[in-house]
Amino acid sequence: MKYLLIPDKFKSSLTSQGVIEALTNGIVQVDQNALIESIQVSDGGDGFLDSVDTAGSYQRIPVQSVNAYGDPITSYYLWDSINHSAFIELANTCGFSSIDKSRLQIMKSSTHGIGIQIRDAIEKGAKQVYVGIGGSITNDGGIGLAQELGYRFFDKNHQEITHCNASSLNLLSDISRPDNEEVFQDVAFYAVNDVENPLFGTSGAAYIYSSQKGASDEEMKQLDRGLQNLDALVIRKLGKKDSSTKGAGAAGGTAYGLKVFLDAEFIRGFDFLSQRHQLYDIIEGGHYDYIITGEGRFDSQSLNGKFVQGILKMAEVSPKSKVVIICGTSEFESLDGYQNQIMVLQIKRQELETTYCMENAAMLVENKISDFLKQS
């Protein structure tokens, strides 16, 4: 049998590569002659740079940066010297992996870290900068990264705010553009993500995502008011109205910041990675018996522009392939409306605690796919 493994991550449990390794172990237990191909993917969050790196030949550029709370760290981005393109991952600089999860402090969070990386890439001569913006613990609307690139922010007393973070949002009263703003006009910026939330409101960055980043109910309200304040200031001083643009609320409004401060274009994670990996050609010409994808939680959002839905639609160019969706939990037992035969495998069982499943996801994935193939 021939298999294509192309799963997304199981958030806070397994990377895309981790899922691939578990699937491989389970498959070879049953099919020792299996022909297995795999593609490591990311929707723009954790693992974004790993996925990009497998699609080409890039140089890793180390950068002395800071994490979401301003602590010094050594981070990196990928550099394509032929096309003068830089690839930056927000999650590995301003995400959960860079901090102690027991001390979440969202009001202190900022995007200065990726601002430092963007500045380094521009100084290196970048003509395109791609920023994967999933998996952040920030909620500063991108003012931290903007400040690193020369934007200045002031309070109502016209005192400059020297280190902007999420707590600064409600203090903003004025803004000035960088002195060297023309430098950015020669660079194309792209925000890569699959989130469609607006900047603020009940479906915005703060109300939907800040609680998982440590925000209390009161902080959530403060952050939402702060993002509204930022938007009003940007409209007044920069003449840009982008708070309602689909995806503006991604990564605590980082997408919004990239758009209003750097004129970034939004790109869906699936579109970006499918193009770089030439997924259509691979799936169409691969003649796979099984195409196996998946993610941690498979629900209605998964079928609304997310990576797994992209794979399901693309797999229709190979209708004889059986498609398997492996996941931690699922809202669906089966799917209709697709040309392929689609099976949904959930590793969570009623008698198992969620924490146990997350801590032992690799073993559970391995066992699940092995059991499935034995019965097929």
Side-chain angles (χ1 to χ4, degrees):
M1 293 287 189
K2 190 174 182 183
Y3 305 79
L4 175 64
L5 312 183
I6 186 166
D8 202 347
K9 65 182 178 297
F10 282 28
K11 189 173 183 180
S12 301
S13 184
L14 287 175
T15 63
S16 173
Q17 183 59 34
V19 180
I20 288 170
E21 291 172 1
L23 287 169
T24 301
N25 291 338
I27 290 169
V28 297
Q29 289 177 24
V30 181
D31 185 357
Q32 295 182 357
N33 296 316
L35 298 175
I36 300 174
E37 298 176 13
S38 64
I39 299 175
Q40 191 172 341
V41 301
S42 166
D43 58 3
D46 300 87
F48 175 71
L49 292 185
D50 290 336
S51 180
V52 170
D53 206 17
T54 61
S57 179
Y58 304 103
Q59 181 182 0
R60 181 178 290 210
I61 306 296
V63 179
Q64 295 305 308
S65 188
V66 294
N67 66 14
Y69 299 154
D71 304 319
I73 60 170
T74 299
S75 189
Y76 75 98
Y77 62 89
L78 296 180
W79 176 251
D80 176 354
S81 59
I82 297 176
N83 298 301
H84 294 87
S85 298
F87 302 87
I88 295 171
E89 180 184 312
L90 179 58
N92 75 0
T93 301
C94 302
F96 286 93
S97 63
S98 66
I99 53 94
D100 178 353
K101 294 180 182 178
S102 67
R103 66 178 191 97
L104 293 174
Q105 305 172 71
I106 193 167
M107 301 307 290
K108 186 181 176 181
S109 69
S110 78
T111 52
H112 282 272
I114 62 164
I116 292 170
Q117 292 178 307
I118 291 172
R119 186 178 66 221
D120 189 87
I122 292 172
E123 291 172 352
K124 194 173 178 62
K127 294 302 180 185
Q128 298 88 31
V129 176
Y130 298 86
V131 185
I133 59 174
S136 82
I137 54 171
T138 61
N139 204 112
D140 72 345
I143 57 176
L145 73 87
Q147 196 168 40
E148 291 293 337
L149 297 173
Y151 281 89
R152 300 172 68 194
F153 298 90
F154 304 87
D155 63 20
K156 63 181 181 181
N157 298 315
H158 207 68
Q159 294 296 310
E160 184 170 3
I161 303 171
T162 56
H163 186 83
C164 288
N165 56 28
S167 67
S168 308
L169 290 169
N170 282 299
L171 304 177
L172 300 176
S173 183
D174 200 3
I175 182 175
S176 69
R177 296 173 181 270
D179 293 334
N180 62 338
E181 190 175 13
E182 69 281 354
V183 172
F184 308 128
Q185 296 171 357
D186 295 330
V187 184
F189 295 92
Y190 303 92
V192 182
N193 82 101
D194 281 335
V195 168
E196 295 190 347
N197 303 78
L199 180 64
F200 56 78
T202 56
S203 59
Y207 278 106
I208 298 299
Y209 299 108
S210 69
S211 63
Q212 68 192 43
K213 304 175 185 181
S216 65
D217 289 346
E218 180 55 36
E219 287 173 332
M220 189 183 302
K221 295 174 184 177
Q222 291 180 35
L223 290 167
D224 191 70
R225 289 195 297 268
L227 292 171
Q228 292 183 51
N229 183 49
L230 170 62
D231 182 52
L233 176 60
V234 167
I235 291 172
R236 188 172 72 249
K237 300 296 293 187
L238 303 183
K240 297 182 178 181
K241 300 180 180 180
D242 290 293
S243 63
S244 297
T245 301
K246 282 187 176 181
T254 301
Y256 172 83
L258 288 167
K259 191 163 188 64
V260 299
F261 299 125
L262 297 174
D263 292 321
E265 177 184 339
F266 291 177
I267 304 177
R268 288 178 61 226
F270 179 79
D271 294 339
F272 173 77
L273 289 172
S274 63
Q275 181 179 14
R276 302 200 76 80
H277 285 281
Q278 298 181 315
L279 289 187
Y280 186 94
D281 294 339
I282 289 173
I283 291 175
E284 183 181 40
H287 305 293
Y288 301 100
D289 296 288
Y290 288 96
I291 296 172
I292 305 178
T293 186
E295 60 183 343
R297 178 172 175 77
F298 182 55
D299 56 22
S300 56
Q301 290 190 32
S302 305
L303 300 177
N304 188 27
K306 292 284 189 172
F307 188 86
V308 171
Q309 185 195 37
I311 294 297
L312 297 182
K313 296 299 292 183
M314 191 169 284
E316 292 184 344
V317 302
S318 181
K320 293 183 179 180
S321 300
K322 297 177 183 177
V323 178
V324 176
I325 300 169
I326 193 157
C327 56
T329 60
S330 174
E331 286 185 359
F332 310 98
E333 293 183 1
S334 61
L335 293 177
D336 298 321
Y338 295 91
Q339 292 184 34
N340 303 74
Q341 180 184 353
I342 298 174
M343 287 71 71
V344 180
L345 306 182
Q346 173 180 293
I347 65 171
K348 173 75 168 65
R349 300 197 303 271
Q350 189 172 4
E351 70 272 19
L352 299 178
E353 295 290 337
T354 299
T355 301
Y356 174 87
C357 292
M358 294 181 69
E359 292 175 349
N360 296 276
M363 176 193 69
L364 294 171
V365 167
E366 180 178 328
N367 292 342
K368 193 71 177 182
I369 195 65
S370 176
D371 291 343
F372 167 75
L373 292 174
K374 288 175 183 177
Q375 299 167 14
S376 297

